């Protein structure tokens, strides 16, 4: 997605530059021509900026886990004192895991930090 946004900015800049270059070879005698050129350049720039804004990624969730207690799982269970993320749920946000408690599992899994499932 970020590559698409950069491509939109670069192509918008190139289009505005090429359009300005082409228009610079035309006659600049009349004020209405200048007004038309300026409005056209502003219109192309506004279109590019609009597409750039539409392609912005949505803000993701921000997860903070700190000072958790102890977790113990028996058998083949799961002990967790940190964060277990379902695939894609914390894709664009930030995760902070600090000072988590002990997690112990006899035959299963234990997590005290961040794990993506």
């Amino acid at each position: 997605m970020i590559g698409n946004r950069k491509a939109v900015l670069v192509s918008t800049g190139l289009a505005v530059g090429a359009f300005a270059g082409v228009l610079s070879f035309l006659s600049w005698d009349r004020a209405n021509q200048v007004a038309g050129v300026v409005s056209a350049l502003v219109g192309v720039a506004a279109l590019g900026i609009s597409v750039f804004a539409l392609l912005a990624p949505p803000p993701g969730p921000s997860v903070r886990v700190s000072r958790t207690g102890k977790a113990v799982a028996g058998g083949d269970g799961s002990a967790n004192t940190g964060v277990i993320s379902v695939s894609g749920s914390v894709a664009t946000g930030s995760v902070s895991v600090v000072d988590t408690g002990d997690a112990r599992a006899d035959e299963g899994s234990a997590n005290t930090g961040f794990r993506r499932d």
Side-chain angles (χ1 to χ4, degrees):
M1 191 65 91
I2 292 174
N4 291 340
R5 294 180 72 211
K6 286 182 182 178
V8 168
L9 280 182
V10 168
S11 60
T12 301
L14 289 174
V16 169
F19 197 48
V22 168
L23 292 175
S24 69
F25 290 108
L26 301 177
S27 173
W28 292 78
D29 295 337
R30 296 181 178 174
N32 65 350
Q33 289 177 336
V34 172
V37 168
V38 170
S39 65
L41 291 175
V42 169
V44 171
L47 177 64
I49 291 170
S50 299
V51 172
F52 179 78
L54 285 174
L55 293 177
S62 208
V63 178
R64 179 178 166 84
V65 177
S66 64
R67 296 188 213 141
T68 59
K70 183 193 292 189
V72 178
D76 60 350
S78 176
N80 177 41
T81 63
V83 176
I84 298 176
S85 169
V86 178
S87 181
S89 65
V90 189
T92 60
S94 64
V95 177
S96 172
V97 181
V98 181
D99 295 330
T100 58
D102 295 330
R104 190 183 68 179
D106 293 334
E107 296 176 13
S109 65
N111 175 43
T112 63
F114 175 75
R115 184 175 80 204
R116 186 179 306 256
D117 281 347

